[in-house]
Amino acid sequence: QSQAGDGGLTDLGGNMYSHGLAAIALNEAFALEKEPKALGVSALGTLRFIQLAQDPVGGGWRYTPRQSGDTSVLGWQMMALLSGHLAGAKIDEQTLMKASLFLNSVQGNSGATYGYTTPGQGHANTAIGLLCRMYLGWGKNVPALNHGVDVLSNWGPNPADLYYSYYATQVLHHYGGKPWKQWNEVMRDSLVESQAKQGHEKGSWAILQTSHGGSSGGRLYCTALATMILEVYYRHMPLYAEKFDGNGK
């Protein structure tokens, strides 16, 4: 934890990836238990830090506070803010509006795909961008979302890219219907089949992810991602895109 008492949670690298993940864990724990009060204080502190760390111009987040943003880091901060919202915290509407502006700046194909720091159509960034759009209020009737889901469906799950699959699985889960059914059958079965079945590695997943932290996070990181993908039914209500208005409602 940050020694400055500013709500920042970092590892030795000190970047916003670490903070976003730690903030998710704290806020989800507080949402479940509501005790002890000290946990709530720490959880709220992480949310304040995220809002203060947002790029005041472009609206995104990156490795260090107030740095010009990228879609990957933004995804973890938005997930943390959502976790805080579900725990009852009020999120500044300006923070959410600025996040939308950042997504506008990196969208491609009229909002169906997303790039890293510029408009594009990267697999992981597209899944992150679409999930954030859903939480920020895009309804199922938005053409860009429908197109984006088609794009993800055509790409399909990729057990060798768990980072992409983690976000894309959430998008398809919230979208529902036939796209989700087809996606889930492939994603679920491939993960269950590829889980280690014996030895000291039993229950884990091999180091397949080479990008997005896989090379440094190793087997533990891949196992965490695979587990969260398989938990999507239990961690997220199967309701489509309840608007994240920032007011704890």
Side-chain angles (χ1 to χ4, degrees):
Q1 182 171 356
S2 169
Q3 299 301 308
D6 56 7
L9 299 172
T10 63
D11 61 6
L12 294 178
N15 63 54
M16 291 297 294
Y17 274 116
S18 303
H19 178 83
L21 285 159
I24 291 170
L26 268 180
N27 281 278
E28 289 197 359
F30 182 64
L32 287 170
E33 300 295 336
K34 295 297 184 182
E35 291 290 346
K37 291 184 179 180
L39 179 60
V41 172
S42 296
L44 287 173
T46 65
L47 303 178
R48 287 194 298 270
F49 186 86
I50 289 173
Q51 292 175 90
L52 290 171
Q54 188 176 33
D55 171 20
V57 177
W61 289 269
R62 206 169 189 186
Y63 308 126
T64 58
R66 303 174 75 83
Q67 184 182 6
S68 180
D70 71 57
T71 304
S72 182
V73 177
L74 176 137
W76 293 110
Q77 311 317 309
M78 288 299 298
M79 291 294 287
L81 292 175
L82 173 68
S83 296
H85 159 72
L86 295 175
K90 182 176 180 179
I91 308 302
D92 189 342
E93 290 185 6
Q94 287 297 315
T95 298
L96 306 181
M97 290 176 63
K98 288 178 181 177
S100 293
L101 289 175
F102 174 81
L103 291 171
N104 291 345
S105 74
V106 294
Q107 71 178 21
N109 297 294
S110 301
T113 63
Y114 294 83
Y116 183 55
T117 57
T118 57
Q121 50 185 1
H123 286 203
N125 292 314
T126 292
I128 294 167
L130 290 172
L131 182 63
C132 289
R133 292 293 201 186
M134 295 171 90
Y135 284 136
L136 287 167
W138 272 18
K140 204 170 183 178
N141 61 339
V142 174
L145 179 59
N146 295 320
H147 184 192
V149 168
D150 287 341
V151 169
L152 294 180
S153 297
N154 289 332
W155 287 340
N158 184 356
D161 189 350
L162 295 176
Y163 190 78
Y164 151 69
S165 296
Y166 167 67
Y167 279 103
T169 296
Q170 292 181 76
V171 172
L172 272 294
H173 174 63
H174 284 297
Y175 194 81
K178 185 177 179 180
W180 163 240
K181 184 177 185 297
Q182 293 178 334
W183 176 282
N184 181 50
E185 287 177 354
V186 176
M187 186 79 257
R188 178 198 61 209
D189 292 353
S190 66
L191 286 178
V192 171
E193 175 63 27
S194 61
Q195 187 178 30
K197 304 296 192 298
Q198 58 187 359
H200 70 280
E201 296 174 346
K202 183 178 180 180
S204 70
W205 277 266
I207 305 170
L208 300 175
Q209 185 83 38
T210 57
S211 60
H212 300 294
S215 58
S216 57
R219 184 175 288 270
L220 175 61
Y221 173 73
C222 292
T223 299
L225 284 176
T227 302
M228 288 192 292
I229 291 170
L230 290 173
E231 287 179 341
V232 69
Y233 325 97
Y234 316 113
R235 296 184 67 246
H236 303 284
M237 290 291 291
L239 301 174
Y240 178 75
E242 177 184 355
K243 187 176 179 182
F244 175 24
D245 61 10
N247 293 317
K249 297 180 180 179

